[in-house]
Amino acid sequence: MSMLKGGNVPVPAPAVRVELGWRPAPGAPDVDASALLLVSGRVRDDADFVFYNQPAHASGAVRHEGKRPAGGAMTDTLRVDLAAVEPAVETVVLAASADGGSFGAVPGLYVRVLDAGSGAELARFDSRDAGTETAFVLGELYRRQGGWKFRAVGQGYATGLAGLATDFGISVADGPAPAPQLPAAPPIAPPPVAPAPPLPTGQPVASIPPPPGQSAPAPAPAPVRLTKVTLTKDAPAVSLTKQGGASGAMRVNLNWSAGGAGKRLGKKFGRKAMEALGARGALLPPSGDLDLDLCALYELTDGTAGVVHPLAQAFGDLHAPPYIQLDRDDRTGAVATGENLTINLDHQARFRRILIFVTIYSGARSFEGLDATVTLQPQHGAPVEFTLDACTVPATVCALALITHTGGELVVQREARYLVPAPGVSPQRTVDHAYGWGLNWSPASK
């Protein structure tokens, strides 16, 4: 049952997932979730703002986990470990912002609080009176007598996310980040080293660990930047160089869910797999029935070409060619942050092209009924995101994004292209042929 504005309920859970949901519609803006950690009604500094460009609080207590399409709806989720929130923090404000319009055009807007352990719904508030507002405080988690409670707020802002953030003490930068200077000549690659360890989980923004024997420089504080880029069929490409995101590390994330195709998936995966439609709203086969692999074909300026994928442990390397590394192989879909790989853009002058793609390793005959969101998060630029269209062909491989280095610019192109392998042809070989990579393939397994 939805709460009334101003109502409050206890939150008897050590950790919660805060789910912001809405129904996408023609002409409706995109929506983003955010959180602010307050002491005496204001943030202590800009690090107390958690959102798509700053997705994890330094304490680890609040994280932005990203968007998931779910049938006819879309959700954006925050995870709050209430037991780990610093004692000085009294309130965690739960906010939403509209990108490209007002909340009056967003149907079905709601926020709900779920027990992170059991998935049980603890609170829900549906916003029904939005108009010209472009940002909303939908609710807040606050301390009361040694515990936590949730209050339904429903306060709108006509000044967008920037106005909301500055109202709580955040310093917001004006304009896009300055473009970095490209090196005069490509840097000399270090000698091959063992693959760098995977980056910490739950951190959608990547950073490059230093090579052995070198310490990482301390990052300089900067005002918060609120820009982001959404790729569509009508606007499918963006220059990372012009966005100021062509250096540092770039995390590529694939987040997938079962969408609204429960009946079709039930036939495809069976009863046990369907039991996995659980707390996160994603398909979580407990026996590992569904296994999607995030992969990358690469071609460097010296003509070297290859693939990064989980087969044969070809996870890549961040500090040596190909400067791409697969962080993990999520073989169940149970990891909230999905599958990720990282690209070292400090060596972007060596890239000719990179194709990010996903294959079905096992558990399904095609991508039918699976929804996915792709996010490219540069370390120093605006995040780039897009969703995949519904799959209507028996495809087991999908080309997601093509990254090319031409004319001194690093450009991301949305592909979202489903491919159907010919009989006896692997998904990897299929995408190779479609994009003319020309690799020699041999059988491999995990």
Side-chain angles (χ1 to χ4, degrees):
M1 181 179 295
S2 180
M3 299 172 59
L4 297 176
K5 185 183 296 188
N8 63 82
V9 294
V11 180
V16 297
R17 290 178 57 253
V18 179
E19 180 183 280
L20 173 68
W22 68 98
R23 294 193 308 274
D30 192 23
V31 179
D32 297 289
S34 58
L36 299 106
L37 288 73
L38 306 185
V39 177
S40 299
R42 292 179 65 82
V43 299
R44 294 164 294 184
D45 54 42
D46 291 349
D48 283 342
F49 186 27
V50 177
F51 69 119
Y52 49 81
N53 266 359
Q54 194 164 271
H57 191 259
S59 67
V62 182
R63 298 198 305 271
H64 179 245
E65 293 190 339
K67 294 178 182 176
R68 286 180 182 267
M74 180 71 74
T75 64
D76 198 10
T77 304
L78 300 157
R79 181 183 174 94
V80 184
D81 186 350
L82 297 171
V85 174
E86 298 157 296
V89 174
E90 302 158 349
T91 306
V92 179
V93 169
L94 308 171
S97 57
D99 183 20
S102 68
F103 276 106
V106 178
L109 181 68
Y110 70 86
V111 64
R112 62 177 187 151
V113 180
L114 308 172
D115 186 320
S118 68
E121 183 176 287
L122 305 176
R124 178 183 177 113
F125 173 57
D126 291 84
S127 176
R128 298 186 175 92
D129 56 356
T132 60
E133 298 90 346
T134 50
F136 251 100
V137 174
L138 289 169
E140 62 184 15
L141 296 163
Y142 63 99
R143 296 184 191 269
R144 181 59 53 90
Q145 297 178 348
W148 286 90
K149 301 185 78 172
F150 169 79
R151 178 183 290 115
V153 178
Q155 177 185 349
Y157 288 75
T159 50
L161 185 59
L164 184 151
T166 54
D167 198 42
F168 288 101
I170 298 293
S171 301
V172 176
D174 295 325
Q181 296 296 316
L182 296 177
I188 298 175
V193 295
L199 297 179
T201 61
Q203 297 284 342
V205 174
S207 59
I208 302 172
Q214 297 185 20
S215 59
V224 171
R225 295 189 180 275
L226 304 181
T227 53
K228 72 167 184 169
V229 177
T230 301
L231 300 183
T232 64
K233 289 180 180 179
D234 296 330
V238 64
S239 168
L240 294 180
T241 305
K242 290 179 179 178
Q243 292 286 330
S247 64
M250 180 168 70
R251 171 70 56 88
V252 181
N253 170 261
L254 172 68
N255 217 329
W256 51 272
S257 72
K263 292 183 179 179
R264 294 196 300 275
L265 290 171
K267 294 179 181 178
K268 208 171 279 188
F269 304 127
R271 181 183 60 81
K272 288 186 178 180
M274 289 308 295
E275 292 173 355
L277 291 173
R280 290 192 175 97
L283 187 70
L284 318 177
S287 58
D289 290 337
L290 181 64
D291 186 2
L292 302 184
D293 288 338
L294 186 62
C295 314
L297 286 167
Y298 62 86
E299 183 183 359
L300 305 182
T301 53
D302 63 2
T304 303
V307 63
V308 174
H309 60 175
L311 304 185
Q313 301 295 301
F315 288 96
D317 196 311
L318 277 181
H319 299 296
Y323 310 110
I324 304 169
Q325 183 172 308
L326 183 64
D327 292 354
R328 74 172 75 215
D329 178 26
D330 178 12
R331 302 193 66 175
T332 66
V335 180
T337 51
E339 294 232 356
N340 304 274
L341 61 80
T342 306
I343 302 173
N344 186 342
L345 297 184
D346 287 341
H347 295 275
Q348 51 98 4
R350 296 194 169 197
F351 298 138
R352 180 170 292 156
R353 57 178 179 159
I354 301 169
L355 180 69
I356 310 300
F357 66 100
V358 59
T359 68
I360 297 177
Y361 183 75
S362 64
R365 292 190 295 271
S366 79
F367 285 99
E368 182 190 5
L370 295 178
D371 297 323
T373 300
V374 181
T375 304
L376 293 83
Q377 176 68 71
Q379 186 173 348
H380 301 299
V384 178
E385 66 179 20
F386 60 91
T387 57
L388 299 185
D389 299 325
C391 179
T392 59
V393 294
T396 55
V397 59
C398 181
L400 301 176
L402 181 64
I403 303 170
T404 56
H405 192 194
T406 55
E409 290 189 23
L410 202 62
V411 176
V412 174
Q413 170 87 25
R414 177 186 186 268
E415 294 293 306
R417 179 183 176 188
Y418 294 107
L419 299 169
V420 181
V425 178
S426 70
Q428 292 84 354
R429 189 188 298 266
T430 298
V431 76
D432 178 322
H433 290 177
Y435 286 86
W437 238 262
L439 301 181
N440 293 320
W441 295 89
S442 58
S445 61
K446 298 182 182 181

